């Protein structure tokens, strides 16, 4: 079995950004993604009313180059204006050709 080192980029954001974030990561080179509901508390507090919507957790496995492009775009266009966090982890995947 061959394991390929890649990057797992995780973005937690307001659900209203889902479509826009998916389009961004795809344009920047991501081949796929997984989205799940997310909730919690951070520097902007807890969302307390239903109309604000829930948060999403968007995950994508990409090359280091693509991960850096995604993080750069988030830093420039999203962090200043929205409740968004992002982090990167090293992962080893089977069938690595599916992600690059």
């Amino acid at each position: 079995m061959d394991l390929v080192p890649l990057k797992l980029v995780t973005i937690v954001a307001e659900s209203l950004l889902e479509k826009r974030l998916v389009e961004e990561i795809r344009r920047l080179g991501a081949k796929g993604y997984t989205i799940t509901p997310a909730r919690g508390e951070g520097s902007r507090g807890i969302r307390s009313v239903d109309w604000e919507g829930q948060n999403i957790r968007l995950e994508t496995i990409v090359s280091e180059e693509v991960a850096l492009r995604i993080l750069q775009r988030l830093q420039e266009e999203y962090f200043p204006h929205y409740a968004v966090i992002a982090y990167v982890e090293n992962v080893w995947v089977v069938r690595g050709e599916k992600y690059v």
Side-chain angles (χ1 to χ4, degrees), residues 34-69:
T34 299
I35 294 178
T36 55
R39 62 176 194 238
E41 181 177 359
S43 63
R44 296 183 186 230
I46 296 176
R47 294 180 158 226
S48 58
V49 293
D50 291 338
W51 61 266
E52 290 179 307
Q54 64 182 359
N55 287 334
I56 59 164
R57 177 183 175 129
L58 186 158
E59 296 177 303
T60 186
I61 297 174
V62 295
S63 67
E64 182 173 0
E65 178 183 316
V66 172
L68 293 174
R69 286 198 303 255

Side-chain angles (χ1 to χ4, degrees), residues 6-11 25 28-30 60-75 86-90 99-100:
L6 292 169
K7 303 293 182 184
L8 170 63
V9 177
T10 301
I11 304 166
I25 68 163
L28 294 169
T60 186
I61 297 174
V62 295
S63 67
E64 182 173 0
E65 178 183 316
V66 172
L68 293 174
R69 286 198 303 255
I70 291 170
L71 293 174
Q72 182 67 39
R73 183 71 176 159
L74 292 172
Q75 184 175 5
Y87 54 92
V88 178
E89 299 175 79
N90 293 321
Y99 303 96
V100 292

Side-chain angles (χ1 to χ4, degrees), residues 5 19-20 41 65 93:
K19 182 178 178 187
R20 187 172 163 193
E41 181 177 359
E65 178 183 316
V93 300

